[in-house]
Amino acid sequence: MADTATVSSADSSNQATISTPAASAGTSTESSAQQTKLPESKRWADVSDDEKDEIESKIESLAIDEPKKVNEFLEDPESANIEAVTSGGTPYTSAKRFEDLNISAELLQGLYVEMKFERPSKIQAITLPMILTPPYKNLIAQAHNGSGKTTCFVLGMLSRVDPKLAAPQALCICPTRELAMQNQEVLERMGKYTGITSILAIPMEDMPMSKLPPVNKQVVIGTPGTINKWFTARKLGMNSMNILVFDEADHMLAEGGFKQDSERIMKGIVKIRPNCQVLLFSATFNDAVKAFATKIVTEISVKEYNQLFVKKEELSLDSLKQYKVYCPNELSKIMVIKDKILEMGQKVGQTIIFVKTRNSASMLHKSLVEYGYEVTTIQGALQQEDRDKIVKEFKEGLTQVLISTDLLARGFDQAQVNLVVNYDLPLKYDTRGEPDYEVYLHRIGRAGRFGRKGAVFNLLCGDRDNMLMTKIETHFNSPVAEVASWEKDEDFEDALKKAGLM
DNA sequence: AAAAAAT
């Protein structure tokens, strides 16, 4: 990894200040009083003075006029080049340890004991102080797949909730019900010792609106339609809302995505709660969405905001090895899945096969089952309970291979997934022959979570696929190696070995 | 085209 990192200021006359731990400790007297339940070794107060000095000097080296040392300090295996831009004069200290954040002992316990985290990942170290330091500014944050974005906003939500107030205070909006459920699970685990309550706002077949009592849970996580529905029906009060999170924010704000729903929710809340903090998180922000996100964040409130972006050429994960496989026809693609992926993939972990349409998902599923393979398939036309069951089985490791539409392209987090197959390459719908770069990046990001190794096989059939693949390679500046022959076992074995999976 | 969800 030869990645570099920069923490820079939007305005050179108004540079972001990096304060020392001594300075920040002086402002966190409340938290040190709460940190009594923690294991000895985890307490900032117990860190030896030598160690403090060492950390202090490292953090001082973050000062932005010393770029050389910045790079050295921020170089981190799980993430690469992030550019942070802060506005206004609020000083932020990059959080080396979770203790550096002004969070409750119960939350620290959740992080260490329940989540088994040791220290903040890079995106967490940078964004958490921005999220948690008053005045609570809005944030647009881009970071690599599997780099720990969920922890950033879940911790943000949990620490902005008053556990004694039985009213919704944090709202998280996600593009799919699966992602909403996954995020709630993380929130419940991380907040295990806080007593903070949460509820899912996702479509439920057996819950008519009239039967739903007004929400008194503290955190609400859901999909845009249901949230809007509850809001309109006055079942979801916004009077105490402190923080509003958009997961997969680029998609939530995209034309042809959930733009209208998202805007409506955002404006509805800010009207009632002008100081509600808005966080936008995603691994991808294309130029159009980035511009819109910036625009709406400044529109909805006069507050200054912080932003972090990654250059598209630097978004591909180094731990993922990408391959292309030229297939003479559609049947040969099925043969590759059957004879190569399913046979060898079994040895290296779980596999997700992405297809373009619900229909091709069913077709592929059918033919693989006919050949005697055990695969499961998920797509949006399935019953909700079936979707839940299939995800649950896969997460429990009961199934090895999952066929999916782009339903699971974003956010789905399963550490054991080492193999992603693009049965079809993602295509933008309204342009001729343009690949959907963002979807491609999200799909392949289902493998190699948090720096783990992984392999991606792109099955190409015909000139159009070849052209799409070339465009993707150029766009991300990330060469995709060729598997010499779709028919040879050795070539696939070799590929998996090179990916570090065999 | 797919996604969520309301129409």
Side-chain angles (χ1 to χ4, degrees):
Chain A
M1 272 267 200
D3 304 309
T4 58
T6 52
V7 175
S8 64
S9 163
D11 175 359
S12 58
S13 68
N14 187 14
Q15 292 198 330
T17 315
I18 310 292
S19 67
T20 64
S24 67
T27 61
S28 63
T29 47
E30 287 168 23
S31 80
S32 59
Q34 291 169 0
Q35 291 178 2
T36 46
K37 286 183 197 162
L38 278 171
E40 297 291 306
S41 61
K42 308 295 187 195
R43 287 160 57 181
W44 173 250
D46 286 346
V47 175
S48 72
D49 283 347
D50 285 353
E51 211 178 327
K52 267 187 188 168
D53 286 346
E54 189 196 333
I55 292 169
E56 193 166 329
S57 67
K58 278 184 182 167
I59 291 178
E60 271 177 350
S61 78
L62 253 173
I64 45 183
D65 53 358
E66 292 178 79
K68 230 176 150 184
K69 288 184 182 174
V70 169
N71 294 348
E72 187 186 22
F73 175 70
L74 284 178
E75 193 166 313
D76 208 285
E78 70 254 15
S79 54
N81 207 342
I82 297 174
E83 189 180 354
V85 178
T86 68
S87 66
T90 313
Y92 296 109
T93 310
S94 176
K96 177 82 176 155
R97 310 156 48 107
F98 289 113
E99 284 82 350
D100 300 344
L101 305 161
N102 198 356
I103 57 177
S104 71
E106 290 77 14
L107 257 176
L108 281 174
Q109 205 179 347
L111 289 165
Y112 287 123
V113 180
E114 181 64 27
M115 307 302 290
K116 304 204 164 46
F117 291 162
E118 290 175 4
R119 61 182 184 90
S121 71
K122 189 165 99 179
I123 176 75
Q124 292 157 12
I126 297 173
T127 62
L128 285 171
M130 291 179 176
I131 297 170
L132 301 174
T133 308
Y136 301 113
K137 295 182 190 178
N138 296 339
L139 171 70
I140 306 174
Q142 179 184 25
H144 299 76
N145 278 314
S147 64
K149 287 185 290 291
T150 307
T151 294
C152 298
F153 63 74
V154 166
L155 197 53
M157 292 198 288
L158 286 168
S159 50
R160 300 294 315 281
V161 164
D162 174 2
K164 294 184 287 289
L165 177 63
Q169 298 163 63
L171 177 60
C172 175
I173 308 175
C174 316
T176 62
R177 65 198 306 280
E178 280 71 18
L179 199 46
M181 290 162 60
Q182 180 179 288
N183 286 336
Q184 192 203 23
E185 255 167 59
V186 173
L187 182 116
E188 288 289 329
R189 285 183 58 204
M190 201 180 294
K192 185 176 170 184
Y193 305 99
T194 63
I196 290 170
T197 56
S198 71
I199 186 171
L200 277 174
I202 57 177
M204 277 172 291
E205 278 149 349
D206 49 355
M207 182 56 104
M209 194 77 291
S210 55
K211 271 195 177 173
L212 181 83
V215 175
N216 61 0
K217 300 284 191 281
Q218 290 153 330
V219 181
V220 181
I221 302 177
T223 47
T226 304
I227 289 171
N228 257 325
K229 203 167 130 194
W230 289 12
F231 183 34
T232 311
R234 296 176 170 273
K235 301 286 186 179
L236 176 58
M238 301 296 188
N239 291 333
S240 306
M241 206 56 79
N242 290 329
I243 181 167
L244 169 61
V245 177
F246 288 88
D247 193 7
E248 307 299 341
D250 63 323
H251 190 231
M252 302 308 290
L253 296 176
E255 211 82 61
F258 296 94
K259 191 178 177 188
Q260 281 76 23
D261 283 331
S262 297
E263 244 187 305
R264 196 171 150 219
I265 296 168
M266 210 185 288
K267 290 184 170 163
I269 292 176
V270 172
K271 205 171 168 186
I272 302 168
R273 297 281 286 177
N275 286 322
C276 182
Q277 184 182 27
V278 178
L279 309 183
L280 306 179
F281 273 92
S282 182
T284 53
F285 282 95
N286 69 34
D287 292 342
V289 183
K290 194 192 284 186
F292 179 70
T294 313
K295 179 169 159 276
I296 190 137
V297 161
T298 46
E299 247 176 45
I300 53 168
S301 65
V302 290
K303 285 199 306 277
E304 294 155 338
Y305 69 100
N306 297 313
Q307 55 184 43
L308 285 93
F309 288 109
V310 183
K311 290 198 193 93
K312 68 181 193 301
E313 291 85 356
E314 284 155 8
L315 269 172
S316 293
L317 301 175
D318 292 347
S319 57
L320 279 187
K321 190 85 185 146
Q322 301 175 58
Y323 293 101
K324 49 191 165 194
V325 185
Y326 295 116
C327 303
N329 50 45
E330 285 297 315
L331 182 64
S332 58
K333 280 163 83 173
I334 296 184
M335 293 302 125
V336 168
I337 300 274
K338 179 171 85 71
D339 298 331
K340 309 294 186 290
I341 307 295
L342 297 189
E343 291 295 336
M344 288 169 214
Q346 308 278 11
K347 301 173 197 160
V348 303
Q350 286 178 297
T351 301
I352 300 181
I353 303 170
F354 283 107
V355 295
K356 198 151 60 123
T357 66
R358 296 169 174 182
N359 207 359
S360 44
S362 314
M363 302 279 275
L364 181 60
H365 179 98
K366 242 183 234 164
S367 52
L368 292 176
V369 168
E370 271 171 25
Y371 282 118
Y373 289 93
E374 277 192 48
V375 297
T376 56
T377 300
I378 187 166
Q379 37 108 334
L382 298 181
Q383 297 286 315
Q384 282 155 13
E385 54 192 281
D386 292 335
R387 286 165 62 164
D388 294 350
K389 184 167 160 256
I390 285 158
V391 167
K392 187 163 175 274
E393 285 173 352
F394 192 70
K395 286 212 169 188
E396 285 172 354
L398 299 174
T399 48
Q400 284 294 303
V401 181
L402 182 55
I403 300 169
S404 174
T405 57
D406 284 326
L407 170 62
L408 290 191
R410 286 172 173 265
F412 185 72
D413 184 35
Q414 167 75 343
Q416 286 77 10
V417 174
N418 289 325
L419 217 51
V420 164
V421 178
N422 282 321
Y423 186 82
D424 308 298
L425 287 177
L427 197 61
K428 260 186 204 139
Y429 78 106
D430 58 349
T431 53
R432 250 168 29 96
E434 271 295 287
D436 193 323
Y437 301 109
E438 285 72 36
V439 170
Y440 179 81
L441 197 79
H442 283 281
R443 281 183 178 186
I444 70 172
R446 296 319 97 209
R449 307 298 288 165
F450 226 90
R452 290 182 182 83
K453 292 194 186 308
V456 178
F457 290 99
N458 295 293
L459 308 192
L460 311 182
C461 181
D463 293 343
R464 198 197 61 166
D465 283 354
N466 297 344
M467 193 193 66
L468 291 172
M469 191 75 251
T470 307
K471 284 188 171 179
I472 290 171
E473 294 179 59
T474 310
H475 183 86
F476 293 115
N477 186 30
S478 165
V480 173
E482 200 176 315
V483 174
S485 164
W486 67 277
E487 290 173 298
K488 290 213 177 97
D489 286 2
E490 308 89 80
D491 292 347
F492 283 86
E493 269 177 35
D494 196 40
L496 290 174
K497 273 181 198 150
K498 281 190 178 134
L501 294 175
M502 280 177 89

